[in-house]
Each structure stands twice: as structure tokens, then as C-alpha cells.
Amino acid sequence: MSEVVKLERHDEVGIVTVNSPPVNALSAAVRGGILECIKAAIADPAIKGIVLTCAGRTFIAGADITEFGKPPKPPGLNEVLAEMENSPKPIVAAIHGTALGGGLEVALACHFRVAVKEAKLGLPEVKLGLLPGAGGTQRLPRAVGPELAVKMIVGGDPIGAAEALKNGLIEEIVEGPASGGEAFVRKLLAEKRPLRRLRDDDSKIAAAKADRSIFTNAVAAMTKKSRGLEAPFAAADAVGYAIDLPFDEGLKKEREGFLKLVASDQSKAQRYAFFAEREASKIAGVPEGTKSRPVNRVAILGAGTMGGGIAMSFANAGIPVTLIETGEEQLKRGMGIMQKNWEATAARGGIPADAPAKRMALINGVVGIENVGDADLVIEAVFETMAVKQEVFGKLDQYVKQGAVLASNTSYLNIDEIAKATKRPQDVLGMHFFSPANVMKLCEIVRADKTAPDALVTAATIARKIAKVPAVVGVCDGFVGNRMLAQRGKQSEKLLFEGALPQQVDAVVTKFGMPMGPFAMGDLAGLDIGWRSRKDRGIKSEIADALCEAGRFGQKTGKGYYKYEAGSRAPLPDPEVEKLIDETLLRLGRKKRIVSDDEILERMMYPMINEGAKILEEGIAARPSDIDVVWLYGYGWPIYRGGPMFWADSVGLKHIADRLAFYAKETNDPNLEPAPLLKKLAAEGKTFASLAAASKAA
Ligand code: 3HC
Ligand code: NAI
């Protein structure tokens, strides 16, 4: 008998229970166990109907992703599903938690499905660069019609039980999965309801067979944001086979598409990202079993750009916030922006109409730091000056209850110095959110010298609770993300002095898959900030300075490296900028040359990777995958390239080290000399990934 799947009999009902923690993924053992138990239930004359259910926190959450790329082990999932669908006795999937990917495909091969009301059902394979490979693209359209099927399969987001019920994906919402499933089977048997095999039921795809535009319109809507990705398009094609081909042929074509994607570089990168994200929440050097401190109430200092966005993230997750400002006016402004923001989302249908009011009610806006009250976590998002931060943390010491975690959202400042302003440095750390903070998923958790392990765990846990992806980093200028970005910034600026134009540099970067190039990003953030800081420090950057002197501060003035039409955020190349660059170069006696796109790409990416190597060497990041997580979720690095360190491994570290050495010489820039760690790995023919494997083994 199987270790992970059991068959019991309750009178005439056979109960097949999968029990393979943590998420009942379809490993070879689970597939084999299901097959064995279903066969036994069919063979047992006392059993008239069957329930398939799961123990633990969830129904089957999909194929076992760790098996991909390894030699396949029998039985194959399609073989198991065919046995189930062919069963002469009714099989009911009883779902709780998440029925995802192969898990939903198992449920679709059952004759009926019921679920608890909190359950979620989906085919998220595209998010791993895949398409459903066990009949999902053929059975789901037959269950819910092609429009919703395309939305779920090409978009990858799950739906809730209520929507599943409305669209015929489940028959009933039940209280408990196993008991509800059993009761449902008894009802079927009493009513002698005929089996429903989705394979044989074309009723819901008939309309799209007659009018294919129903399908193509749905695909067009769902693939709008899929630039650069292969899987959404292949997944859409597979749904098309359900409409155009007989079931068995469609199934065969789906399988071919799946096998092609499993072997693709994109899917490898996306699967890597899935595990990198989960790995990042395991904090290096924190004793196992370290528990989070309870966090029931949060106080945020500063209702500006960041404080407001952070407050929204907490309220979105239902966590009450005290939002603190220095004056009524600033407070009113901050609260107003949040309200407008939510109302705009509600107007677009992104959140329910009553959500803005409900969420605003969770935010208590007040003036004066003495109101931090009983907060369990304080996040400071005031002006970026050490003196101001230290003053604020000094006061926090006085007003905040003992044991609360004290976090700073600083982008660059030294958390050790900030911690010195309090008598409880063990409670101080960084929680560096990214703008817009209610949207961007990354939270760099900055570990200072004295930060206590349970304070770190608290920050990482609460970050996940508000749907952020935490990555723990050490103290240094700019932490991981901005420190690497600064290297790209230096090169993009230098490229203008050599003859490249902003639009050429940005085009190379966006073609690579980043959402924006460095110059468009500068225009968005505002060029005056850097200009003022350069002036303070007595630094010159002739082109950027000239732009600011001409009043070109970026989007906010309608002109920067680009020009912007009124009300538009679309950057338009501006001949005036070209002229200004030419004049500056002439004045400085610089010679222009033609800079190739290949060179631009190398000079944008390789210096960042070089900095990543330094970051690893200094222990600022514990694992290369943590750096990748920072870039995936903080800067929109294209998921199908896995992250800068993963991508570097695929390019080859020797090549990167050689090119850096070349550019160091060619452009007379010692800063570009390959870092010792990069040089060493390159010489040994190794990858960054080999470091992670070595640290795991140790
Ligand atoms: N295979 C292998 N391991 C998996 C897994 C899977 N499908 N899903 C989750 N895990 C592991 C995670 O790596 C993690 O391991 P760790 O504790 O060692 O880090 C553990 O299970 C718990 O996962 P989470 O931390 O993500 O737990 P949550 O409770 O936050 O989320 C979940 C649970 C919603 C199920 C989430 O894990 C998830 O989205 N999983 C992936 C689902 C998915 O993509 N399924 C489709 C797979 S492809 C497929 O099915 C192909 C088919 O069509 C043939
Ligand atoms: P902001 O200027 O928009 O907001 C700062 C707010 O803090 C202002 O409303 C101000 O009135 C308030 N404030 C000042 N002193 C205060 C005090 N003692 N108590 C309560 N409130 C006080 O600035 P922004 O952009 O929100 O930045 C805040 C912090 O977040 C900075 O440390 C910044 O470096 C960091 N950060 C900024 C990002 C960005 O893109 N803007 C990204 C990530 C971090």
C-alpha cells in the first residue's frame, strides 16, 4: 500500500486521501498512490462512489516542480487521469486550500468537484514558463467555457470557490472537504446521476467553435502584458486545440507544447525564480525555530510618497496602521492621496466598491510621534537625512513599548548609525520598500550589527503577510538593489559622453526585458534630486547638470532626457536634448563614436553583476539567489531571465570577467576591473550557483 495515499471505505463510499506534506505535490509516489487506490476502489464491489481528497493544509498544489528536468518516473499523470476519468464509478474531488496546476487537472479528470468556500482553483503553469500538461487546457474550457479558461490558463491567476461555482467548475460549496465530498457522493448515488466526463462534453465550447473570435479576443486581452514571454502564447495555442481538435488529439498537442516549454531556458529561469523567492525567506544565520514577535498594530512615520504606499500595503492586508505626520497639512495630503489611489482602483474594478472606505478606516492618521502608542512595529519613512532619522529614533525610544521592532525605510543610510540613537539596537533594522510601495513587491530587510534574530524573523514574516517578498541584506551604501543600480547609472551616463543617446541606451535595456531604461527612469524619479545632491557634494555631471540648468527635471516639468506631451508619461526623443549633448561634448572636447547595442548591453549589465560579486564576497547578501530576488521584485528584472546572477551564469562568468577587464582598459575605468570573486569563479570555470550549492552542503 502507498505511503502517501490511502483508501478507506465508509459503507459504499471509498475515500482516497493524499497525504504528502507540505502541499501534496504530485511526486511519482503520489501519482502511483492515487492510481493504486483508484484501481482498488474500482475493483472493490462494496464501493459505489469515490471521493478524492487531501490531508494537511491544501488540496494538490500541482506537479512536483523539483521533478522537472529529471528523467520521468512512471506512472505519468495523464495515465492516472485517464484511469480516473474512465472509472465506471463516480469520483468526486473534494477541494480545500489551493487546487493548482496538476492538482486542478486531477480534479478536472474527476466526474464532479466540490470545494470549501476559502478554496482557490487555478492553472498557474504560465508563471513557471509552462502550460498545463495533463489535460488542463483541454478539460478546463469544456468545464467553464473558453473565455474564462483563457483568462485562467494564459493569465495564471486562480479563482475563488464562489466564482468556480458560478461558472460550473465545481458543483457545490461544502463545509469540510472530506465530509462534504462524502455527502455529495451519497447524494449522487441516491439520485443515480450520470457521470460527467469533461472529455466527452463539448457543450461549453460549441459557441467558440462556431465563432472563433470569442477565443481570439480573449487571448488578445490576456496576452497584452506578455512581452518577451513564450508560455502565455503557447498556452493560448493549447486552448485553441480544445476548440479545433478532437479531445485526444488536443491532449497530444498539449503534451508536445508542455514538453517543449519544460526544456526551455525561460521555464528553467522561472522555476529558479519560484524557489529563489522561497529560499530568500530562510534567513541565513538565524537559529532554526526562531519565532516572529506578534504584530497586531503598525505605526508609520511620514505620510509622504513612501509612508503612504507602505500604509496602503498594510491596510490592504487588513492590518491597522497609525500614520504619523508632523503637521495637519502634510497628514491631510497623505491621507488624500491614499484615498484617491484606492478609489481609482475601485473605479477600474480592481477592488470592491466599498474597499476604499474600509481600508481608510484601518488607517488612523495623527500628528505627533508621541502617538506611536502600542505599535508592535514602527516603520520610519521621513526625510532621508541622518540627523533627522537619529532624532526620530531617539524619540521612538521614549514612546514605543519595549519589544517593538523599529524599522527604517532609508534607501542609503547606515542602519548601524541609526540604531545608535536608541537604547535598543537589537530591535532596529531596515525595511526598505520600493516605490510605488503599494505595488512593488520587494522589501529589503536590512540586518544591522546588533539586530536580534527574532526581529529579523518578525520583519520577514510581516512582509510576507502584506504580500511582499522579503530579502535579507547587510548594511552598505544602497544595500543590494540601489548599490548595483548605481553601477549601471555610472555607465549609462558615461555612454552619453561617448556618443550614445538616451533613447538608444533605454531601447537596449527595455529590449532585454526591463520595464524601463535608466534615462526614462531618471525622468520619472526627477532629475533635480540628483542635481541638488551633486551640488551639495561639489560633484559635476555635465550633461545631467545642463539639463537641470535648462529646467528639465523630468516628467514633472514635461521635459528631461525626453519630452512629454501634456498628460502623457510616454517618453519622446527630443532633438533639443541631442543638441544639448552635442554642445556639451564639443565644449569638453569629447569625440563621439558609434556605440553598438551589444556594447551598451554589456556595459549596462556586467558592471551590476560585478557589484553583485562584491556584495556576495562582503556577505551583504547571503546567496546569489537573494540578489536575483531583489532584482526580480524591486526593479522588474524579466522573470524569464531569472535575475542578474542567474543570467550571468548562463552568459558565462569567464566571458563577463574578460569583457569587464576589456572595458576597464578601453574606457580607462578601474572601477570596471572584475571583482576578485568573479575572477576566481571565472578562472575555475564555475558559476554563482555553485556558491549556493556549496553553502547548502556546508
Ligand atoms: N512542487 C514542489 N514543491 C512545492 C510546490 C510544487 N508544486 N509547491 C510548493 N512547494 C514547496 C515550496 O517550495 C515550499 O518548500 P520549502 O518549505 O522547502 O521552501 C513549500 O512547498 C511551501 O510552499 P510555500 O512557501 O509557497 O507555501 P504557501 O503556503 O505560501 O503557498 C502554494 C502554497 C500556493 C501552493 C504555493 O507554494 C504555490 O503557488 N506553489 C506552486 C503551485 C504551482 O505552480 N503549481 C503548478 C505546478 S506545474 C504543474 O502542475 C504542471 C502540470 O500541469 C503537469
Ligand atoms: P517624502 O518627502 O515624500 O515624505 C516624507 C514625509 O515625512 C513628509 O511628508 C514629511 O512631512 C514627513 N516627516 C518628516 N519628518 C517627520 C517626523 N519627524 N515625523 C513624522 N513625519 C515626518 O519622502 P519619501 O520619498 O516618502 O521618502 C521617505 C523615506 O523613504 C526616505 O528615507 C527615502 O530615502 C526612502 N525611500 C524613498 C523611495 C522613493 O522612491 N521615494 C524609495 C525607497 C525608500
Side-chain angles (χ1 to χ4, degrees), residues 515-526:
M516 253 187 201
F519 295 106
M521 205 164 136
D523 275 0
L524 175 67

Side-chain angles (χ1 to χ4, degrees), residues 309-377:
I310 299 167
M312 288 178 76
S313 302
F314 280 95
N316 286 343
I319 298 170
V321 176
T322 307
L323 185 60
I324 298 175
E325 260 293 347
T326 45
E328 288 296 344
E329 203 173 304
Q330 294 89 327
L331 184 62
K332 203 170 144 214
R333 208 182 125 262
M335 298 288 279
I337 292 173
M338 288 189 288
Q339 176 140 12
K340 259 206 198 137
N341 206 319
W342 272 318
E343 277 168 1
T345 312
R348 280 200 309 272
I351 51 174
D354 61 348
K358 278 191 180 156
R359 293 179 196 190
M360 283 306 291
L362 283 171
I363 300 178
N364 177 28
V366 289
V367 171
I369 197 167
E370 62 280 7
N371 293 305
V372 284
D374 56 356
D376 305 298
L377 165 67

